[in-house]
Amino acid sequence: APVSEGGAFVVDDRGEYRPQQEEMARLVARALHAGQRVAVEAPTGTGKTLAYLTPGVAWAKAVQEPVVVATHS
C-alpha cells in the first residue's frame, strides 16, 4: 500500500520512511469513511499533500464522487 512503510508515496527525497505521513493518510482515510472532515496542521515539507491525496483519490475513485483538498502555506 502506498501509505505504509516502504510504500511508493511515503518516502522523502533521501529515501526515508515518514511515519507521520502514514499517520496523516490513515487519519484522512478514516475521516472519509466516516463522512467527516479533518484538518491537519504540520510544518512545510512533511508530506501533507501526498497524505491527503493518497486516500482522497482512492476514495473518490471508489465512490465516484469528488474530494476537495484545500491547502494553505
Side-chain angles (χ1 to χ4, degrees):
V3 297
S4 59
E5 189 166 9
F9 298 138
V10 291
V11 290
D12 67 13
D13 58 346
R14 296 176 307 241
E16 296 177 8
Y17 169 63
R18 297 182 188 185
Q20 298 85 358
Q21 188 179 44
E22 180 178 358
E23 184 179 348
M24 282 189 283
R26 291 185 187 281
L27 174 71
V28 170
R30 284 193 302 270
L32 288 167
H33 284 278
Q36 299 174 337
R37 294 184 178 114
V38 64
V40 176
E41 183 178 4
T44 300
T46 57
K48 293 180 301 295
T49 300
L50 284 177
Y52 301 146
L53 292 179
T54 301
V57 169
W59 177 259
K61 186 174 179 180
V63 299
Q64 298 295 299
E65 293 286 336
V67 171
V68 176
V69 175
T71 65
H72 182 271
S73 294

